[in-house]
């Protein structure tokens, strides 16, 4: 019953899609457990680039079951268009299973998300505008519409009448309950063959000794509880979220693989202690192609933050780390990593719990030598230059977690493993 969870260890976009694809080869099933199409997970195979927003990144392997768990929020039109696109490339999409307990993102949720952001002006969160927050809000408020609801038309109408009753008139004018019901019913018909009881499915697979890979979206510092609240998403991307969002108990998880870039990025608003608003930050952005997969926005860039990463190790109970984009640092003479935060004259190794303290924190930076040579062709630990080995060894020393996987390029083959993952379970 091996289960491996992949979590973003920073602010999202760490390369989770690429690492999921790498580990999916040895898995039977890949499960998304939270978030929605705010995610953008990229996989590059040869000349083809695939961008997954909702569909799990295991879909490229023809024999894997892929699951959208109960914790995911689903924009039905987006899901159908992603399915159609994949089908066009010849991929068998019948392997996608969708939880009947997952919640829908309604068209009204997207409008509410975008309006709330516009209203906040400079104080905006910088959401993806995909309706994520409003959908999760309705879920927690116990009035969300779930994927299985269109099978019960009376119940569906009752939920939607209640939903629109709370909306401003100019929103309901375009989206009366009947129009939303029609959209959901049509989507349900299209998706019906994929909709199942996923906690039963996943537990059955584990009981039969199947290997299950959980694919987190977003990242630890965007977690609604543990991130830089309120500049977070509305779900739990951390390892605990894998249990809640899939219906699998914590005792069944064997490996928690955190994915971190060799530096830091963030897209959207909120504190970012090691951010570089200078030529070095711009160089990281350009060399790392740091522009969002979902919204195309420029990502903010900075040095690797081991205070934030150590926090992520603890919050997730991380057993292993995957370091991605090491090759992006090839271009730098000198590097720096943050080993502490200076706050009120004292240095702490702990990530502050209040936003204002994260905003005030001054990073304590340790200089590290660059390697100024290409790592993109490295396919084993011994292929790395000594300075790159020293950089990773320092990460392991501070975090006390082994770096099991190293990624040195966007392409599928540009990853190597230092430790067996599935084989060791
Ligand atoms: P995710 O949301 O965590 O799956 O990450 P994204 O796909 O949003 O962003 C990661 C970006 O970096 C994508 O464009 C990947 O193709 C790319 N990428 C992933 N790993 C590497 C790597 O090791 N080196 C380089 N140069 N690019 C990488
Ligand atoms: P992946 O899975 C990076 C950020 C948004 C915003 C905040 C809230 O590709 O790593 P939301 O639309 O979720 O309400 O936005 O979270 N955000 C991400 N940042 N990667 C993501 O996903 C993200 N999903 C949401 O930019 O700051
Ligand atoms: Mg992404």
């Amino acid at each position: 019953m091996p289960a491996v969870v992949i979590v973003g260890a920073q602010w999202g976009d760490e390369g989770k899609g690429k690492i999921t694809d790498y580990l999916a080869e040895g898995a039977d099933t890949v499960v998304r457990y939270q978030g929605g199409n705010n995610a953008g997970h990229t996989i590059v195979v040869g000349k083809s680039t695939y961008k997954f927003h909702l569909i799990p990144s295991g879909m490229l392997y023809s024999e894997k079951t892929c699951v959208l768990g109960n914790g995911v929020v689903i924009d039905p039109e987006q899901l159908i268009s992603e399915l159609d696109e994949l089908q066009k490339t010849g991929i068998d999409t019948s392997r996608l299973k969708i939880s009947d307990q997952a919640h829908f993102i309604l068209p009204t949720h997207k409008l509410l998300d975008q309006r709330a952001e516009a209203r906040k002006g400079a104080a905006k969160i910088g959401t993806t505008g995909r309706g994520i927050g409003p959908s999760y809000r309705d879920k927690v408020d116990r009035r969300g519409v779930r994927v299985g609801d269109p099978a019960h038309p009376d119940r569906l109408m009752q939920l939607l009448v209640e939903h629109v009753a709370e909306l401003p008139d100019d929103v309901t004018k375009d989206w009366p309950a009947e129009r939303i019901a029609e959209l959901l019913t049509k989507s349900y018909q299209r998706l019906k063959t994929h909709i199942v009881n996923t906690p039963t499915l996943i537990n059955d697979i584990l009981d039969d000794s199947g290997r299950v890979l959980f694919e987190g979206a977003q990242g630890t510092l965007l977690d609604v509880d543990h991130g830089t609240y309120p500049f977070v998403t509305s779900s739990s991307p951390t390892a605990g979220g894998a249990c809640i969002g899939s219906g699998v108990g914590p005792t069944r998880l064997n490996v928690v693989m955190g994915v971190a870039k060799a530096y830091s990025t963030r897209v959207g608003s909120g504190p970012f202690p090691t951010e570089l608003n200078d030529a070095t930050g711009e160089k990281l952005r350009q060399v790392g192609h740091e522009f969002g997969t979902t919204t195309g926005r420029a990502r903010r860039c900075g040095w690797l933050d081991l205070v934030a990463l150590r926090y992520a190790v603890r919050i997730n109970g991380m057993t292993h780390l995957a370091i991605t984009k090491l090759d992006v640092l090839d271009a730098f003479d000198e590097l720096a990593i943050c080993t502490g935060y200076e706050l009120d004259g004292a240095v702490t190794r702990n990530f502050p719990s209040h936003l204002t303290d994260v905003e005030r924190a001054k990073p304590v930076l340790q200089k590290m030598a660059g390697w100024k040579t290409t790592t993109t062709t490295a396919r084993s630990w011994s292929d790395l230059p000594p300075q790159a080995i020293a950089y990773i060894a320092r990460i392991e020393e501070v975090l006390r977690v082994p770096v099991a996987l190293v990624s040195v390029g966007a392409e599928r083959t540009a990853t190597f493993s230092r430790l067996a993952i599935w084989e060791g379970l």
Side-chain angles (χ1 to χ4, degrees), residues 6-7 9-10 14-16 19-20 22-23 256-262 309 318-325 401-407 415-416:
I6 290 178
V7 291
Q10 296 161 320
E14 298 92 345
K16 298 176 295 294
I19 297 300
T20 301
Y22 182 83
L23 289 175
V256 178
M257 172 77 66
V259 184
K261 282 179 196 175
L309 264 186
M318 213 181 277
T319 57
H320 299 70
L321 252 177
I323 296 290
T324 62
K325 303 193 99 165
V401 173
V403 173
L405 302 176
V406 179
S407 171
T415 307
F416 60 84

Side-chain angles (χ1 to χ4, degrees), residues 11-14 16 38-41 113 125-130 132-133 216-219 222 231-234 266-269 294 297:
W11 279 278
D13 301 327
E14 298 92 345
K16 298 176 295 294
N38 47 348
H41 296 181
D113 187 359
I125 293 167
T127 72
T128 57
R130 303 293 193 264
I132 306 294
Q218 289 80 53
L222 291 171
F231 297 103
V232 292
T233 191
S234 301
R266 176 167 200 163
V267 59
S269 321
T294 297
R297 288 177 292 176

Side-chain angles (χ1 to χ4, degrees), residues 140-210:
V140 176
D141 206 15
R142 297 152 298 178
R143 51 201 201 88
V145 183
R146 307 215 282 189
V147 166
D149 285 327
H152 311 279
D154 292 346
R155 161 105 184 115
L156 178 69
M157 262 323 273
Q158 188 192 337
L159 282 167
L160 290 173
V161 167
E162 197 192 325
H163 173 72
V164 298
E166 303 244 336
L167 299 178
D169 287 347
D170 60 333
V171 173
T172 39
K173 178 169 66 61
D174 288 337
W175 287 104
E178 294 74 17
R179 186 173 170 211
I180 307 174
E182 199 180 310
L183 170 80
L184 296 185
T185 306
K186 209 168 127 221
S187 305
Y188 179 82
Q189 290 306 327
R190 164 71 175 84
L191 298 172
K192 201 162 64 175
T193 55
H194 300 271
I195 299 171
V196 296
N197 177 335
T198 53
T200 299
L201 172 76
I202 301 166
N203 280 289
D204 280 348
I205 292 169
L206 286 169
D207 285 349
D208 291 341
S209 302

Side-chain angles (χ1 to χ4, degrees), residues 223-283:
D223 184 282
V224 68
D225 284 273
H226 302 290
T228 50
Y229 191 90
F231 297 103
V232 292
T233 191
S234 301
S235 69
S236 304
T238 40
C243 295
I244 295 164
S246 67
V248 163
T251 50
R252 306 200 85 164
L253 308 181
N254 306 93
V255 166
V256 178
M257 172 77 66
V259 184
K261 282 179 196 175
Y263 49 98
S264 307
T265 65
R266 176 167 200 163
V267 59
S269 321
F272 180 3
T274 62
E275 183 170 16
L276 292 165
N277 288 309
D278 59 11
T280 309
E282 186 55 34
K283 187 168 167 182

